[in-house]
Amino acid sequence: MNKISHIKRYQISKVYRRDNPGRGRYREFYQCDFDIAGHYDPLLPDAECLKIMYEILSELELGGFLIKVNDRRLLYGILATCGVPDDKFRTVSTVIDKMDKISWDKVRREMIEEKDLSPEIVDRLGEYIRLNGGLAVLEHLCNDSLVSQNTMAMEALSDLKLLHSYLEIFGVADKVTFDLGLARGLDYYTGVIYEAVLLRGPEEPHNVPDNDTDKIAGFGSIAAGGRYDDLVGMFDSKGRKVPCVGISIGIERILSMAERKAEESFKNIRTTETQVLVASAQPHYLEERMRLITALWSSGIKAEMLHKKNPKLLSQLQYCEKTGIPLVAIIGEQELRDGVVKLRDVTTREEVNIPREDLIKEIQKRTS
Amino acid sequence: MNKISHIKRYQISKVYRRDNPGRGRYREFYQCDFDIAGHYDPLLPDAECLKIMYEILSELELGGFLIKVNDRRLLYGILATCGVPDDKFRTVSTVIDKMDKISWDKVRREMIEEKDLSPEIVDRLGEYIRLNGGLAVLEHLCNDSLVSQNTMAMEALSDLKLLHSYLEIFGVADKVTFDLGLARGLDYYTGVIYEAVLLRGPEEPHNVPDNDTDKIAGFGSIAAGGRYDDLVGMFDSKGRKVPCVGISIGIERILSMAERKAEESFKNIRTTETQVLVASAQPHYLEERMRLITALWSSGIKAEMLHKKNPKLLSQLQYCEKTGIPLVAIIGEQELRDGVVKLRDVTTREEVNIPREDLIKEIQKRTS
């Protein structure tokens, strides 16, 4: 155990999970994480996490999204209030977690038949956990005769109201909805929890049956997180607590969505940052290509050449089309004699002879 | 096994090794890798790898460095030529690998006493494996009466000469030396191998005893790589070969060296990209700080604030000094009334009132 008690960090890297995920999900996958660890004033790190989640999802231009927010303490307070026994909190939460995938009727039946809750308890619970909305939902619960008697739930509600005020200042409250049915599977959360979902565009099939959240697309969550104040302390020999809050962005899911979108619009995905391919139409110009690429590299131009002594012009052009390289710098006998480079635009196929000394500027201009 | 037969990629990530490393080295560590896989014309990918190694080490400004180059086939050819039995190639190579750490006398003794080679064989071997230098060394070996009879060694020498001509075009031959004693521990290399070492500055202690490479600093290698044409095929069910060449940059070693350098020059290492800390000298300005930071963030300014409701000015300034944040944007009653922000330069402690509408431009100007 290291002695780090304060850190704010991000990581885009592989993560590993122990469970048995289904449907094209794996135990090893890439994830983009942002976490803040340390003792700070309440809800400030939480608000920053949600701000960052909002910014990332906005800039990725994936379409409309919604960030559902709840608090573990509020959920457990409501479970207690409705008469669910303590030892069933976890198992009942996993059923609640399915509410965005299956209908309330099915969730209700599972609670009664498989979790042995009485229909009265389940129906009372249903009145709460199907609530969602803005600040008004929090106010409604604060004034609820049952909930207002539960200390844990009231603490959570007070925190959520403070969080909401911070999110308003940060300009991200418009996409945040308090969703009392959000449970989040992971056991380690201790406070605020959240989950971002994409909203269904008008053209997409309606595959979430009878549900308040019927505008939510069937992708599942694309980002999620929450507060986990006890996790780090579990690994400290002296049990010192390091409160934490963090978000994870489901980068693989987002990439596969972006890929699908690009395919739908018949666009080639650019798989490279390379600005120019150094090519030749004639054989025996390997060394000249190497000289030119050395000059381009030393000016910071992102250039490539095929690792062939005498590649065909066609294969060089096809390589650009396949990978999305926008320009080709072509040299041959004539160009070398004239001190020029033939610069070809891969999309328009237009070719212009550029004096060798102007080439770098021209490539920078065209690719800026 | 995937079906990728051509790929050029880099990765900065954790890697894992099975052995038991000593001296502050771990089985899990960060490494920066660049590899080219696929069938290409000879030595072109190899030359690009060495070019990239050269560029990275130059740009990191670690001081003088040398890239030692050898070829597994040349080493084994020489071992055969000198009369080392086939079944001792690997074990003798591991002793050769120590030549940059211990003296030739000790290497010689280990070969005779522990590897059971005759003194004649070892002395003959010593004449070859202690050779190093430029193109002349390759020419010398090509004309050697013993080496020139070994097909494998001659293939390697012809490849190394071609590689040298490519490295000259790429402008990186000046830091490359052919070192016949470079063995590289890993079994999977099949052709060209290389290793970069830092050169000792005049002020550093001389801790490599009697050795041709007495200008080499005692850091060990900071980057290394080579060709491994058989490794991928081992994992393919049909045994299809994917020839590969790659480099690894020892990023942890480089970071710890950079850290040491910074400590020696009493410089604070800047551990953050943050340009400005949004601060207040008075209590009760949390919401104003949040409003200001929201504006800065939305203009792309890298800004931070302490996650405290009422932090002391001193702790806010100390935070900047510790992490290397260069600017502080301070607001309080007076500044808000006047529509200004007090911009403080952390190093000079100079403070200027900037009209709020000019703040973003001013920060961009000062941190560009």
Side-chain angles (χ1 to χ4, degrees), chain B residues 71-342:
Chain B
D71 191 298
R72 255 305 151 80
R73 295 165 299 168
L74 179 57
L75 181 66
Y76 285 0
I78 285 172
L79 291 175
T81 292
C82 293
V84 177
D86 283 23
D87 58 353
K88 286 190 179 167
F89 281 8
R90 287 194 180 180
T91 179
V92 171
S93 295
T94 61
V95 185
I96 294 177
D97 215 26
K98 297 181 186 171
M99 274 172 51
D100 56 349
K101 292 180 199 80
I102 60 175
S103 69
W104 168 245
D105 275 353
K106 282 187 191 152
V107 170
R108 185 179 177 277
R109 208 178 311 142
E110 196 173 328
M111 284 189 182
I112 296 169
E113 290 170 10
E114 291 176 31
K115 306 300 170 191
D116 271 336
L117 295 179
S118 73
E120 296 71 38
I121 287 179
V122 175
D123 289 335
R124 208 180 301 145
L125 190 57
E127 294 302 312
Y128 291 110
I129 60 175
R130 287 187 291 164
L131 286 174
N132 64 70
L135 202 51
V137 170
L138 304 181
E139 298 293 359
H140 170 77
L141 287 169
C142 284
N143 298 323
D144 183 274
S145 57
L146 287 175
V147 174
S148 59
Q149 286 168 41
N150 185 291
T151 325
M152 198 165 60
M154 288 305 282
E155 269 179 29
L157 284 168
S158 150
D159 276 1
L160 288 178
K161 284 201 269 185
L162 183 60
L163 177 66
H164 185 265
S165 74
Y166 291 160
L167 297 179
E168 287 222 305
I169 298 176
F170 279 160
V172 300
D174 61 311
K175 297 239 199 289
V176 169
T177 183
F178 296 103
D179 187 322
L180 281 288
L182 177 68
R184 302 286 309 134
L186 297 166
D187 275 343
Y188 54 67
Y189 289 119
T190 55
V192 177
I193 48 178
Y194 28 82
E195 188 173 289
V197 289
L198 290 186
L199 296 180
R200 203 159 42 81
E203 75 290 348
E204 280 168 76
H206 185 152
N207 53 9
V208 183
D210 77 301
N211 202 309
D212 286 346
T213 53
D214 67 346
K215 275 189 296 195
I216 292 169
F219 297 117
S221 70
I222 50 162
R227 178 160 281 285
Y228 51 103
D229 286 348
D230 298 337
L231 188 64
V232 174
M234 282 168 53
F235 298 99
D236 188 274
S237 54
K238 290 176 186 156
R240 278 167 301 208
K241 278 195 183 182
V242 180
C244 293
V245 62
I247 57 172
S248 294
I249 311 290
I251 198 168
E252 294 197 353
R253 198 170 281 194
I254 288 171
L255 283 178
S256 75
M257 272 166 28
E259 231 164 12
R260 202 197 305 171
K261 264 194 182 171
E263 276 165 23
E264 279 166 9
S265 59
F266 301 104
K267 259 191 250 165
N268 252 341
I269 300 169
R270 185 160 170 196
T271 59
T272 176
E273 289 184 39
T274 306
Q275 299 166 297
V276 59
L277 184 82
V278 173
S280 182
Q282 298 150 319
H284 311 306
Y285 281 90
L286 171 65
E287 301 202 345
E288 287 301 336
R289 282 190 285 139
M290 292 177 84
R291 266 182 209 111
L292 180 56
I293 205 168
T294 304
L296 295 179
W297 282 340
S298 67
S299 303
I301 302 276
K302 289 169 182 161
E304 260 184 85
M305 52 176 264
L306 294 199
H307 286 143
K308 294 271 170 200
K309 271 162 95 169
N310 298 315
K312 292 197 180 102
L313 185 61
L314 186 63
S315 44
Q316 294 173 87
L317 296 178
Q318 281 170 341
Y319 181 76
C320 292
E321 273 164 18
K322 210 181 87 189
T323 56
I325 299 175
L327 295 172
V328 196
I330 304 169
I331 42 174
E333 200 184 343
Q334 187 66 42
E335 287 80 14
L336 285 173
R337 201 183 300 129
D338 299 346
V340 299
V341 172
K342 197 186 287 300

Side-chain angles (χ1 to χ4, degrees), chain A residues 47 50-51 54-55 166-176:
Chain A
L50 284 164
K51 167 80 171 164
Y54 182 103
E55 283 190 353
Y166 291 159
L167 297 179
E168 287 222 306
I169 298 177
F170 279 159
V172 300
D174 61 312
K175 298 241 197 288
V176 169

Side-chain angles (χ1 to χ4, degrees), chain A residues 8 36 39-41 44 48 51 166 169-170 286-287 290-291 294 297 304 307-309, chain B residues 8 36 39-41 44 48 51 166 169-170 286-287 290-291 293-294 297 304 307-309:
Chain A
K8 193 198 272 200
I36 301 175
H39 287 275
Y40 298 105
D41 278 335
L44 283 169
E48 188 164 319
K51 167 80 171 164
Y166 291 159
I169 298 177
F170 279 159
L286 171 64
E287 302 201 344
M290 291 175 85
R291 270 187 204 106
T294 303
W297 281 340
E304 258 184 88
H307 285 143
K308 293 273 169 199
K309 271 160 95 170
Chain B
K8 193 196 275 198
I36 301 175
H39 288 275
Y40 297 106
D41 278 336
L44 284 169
E48 188 163 320
K51 167 79 171 164
Y166 291 160
I169 298 176
F170 279 160
L286 171 65
E287 301 202 345
M290 292 177 84
R291 266 182 209 111
I293 205 168
T294 304
W297 282 340
E304 260 184 85
H307 286 143
K308 294 271 170 200
K309 271 162 95 169

Side-chain angles (χ1 to χ4, degrees), chain A residues 74 77-78 80-82 128 137-158 161:
Chain A
L74 179 58
I78 284 171
T81 294
C82 294
Y128 291 110
V137 170
L138 304 181
E139 298 293 359
H140 170 77
L141 287 169
C142 284
N143 298 324
D144 183 274
S145 58
L146 286 176
V147 174
S148 58
Q149 286 168 42
N150 185 292
T151 325
M152 195 164 63
M154 289 306 282
E155 268 178 32
L157 284 168
S158 151
K161 283 200 269 186

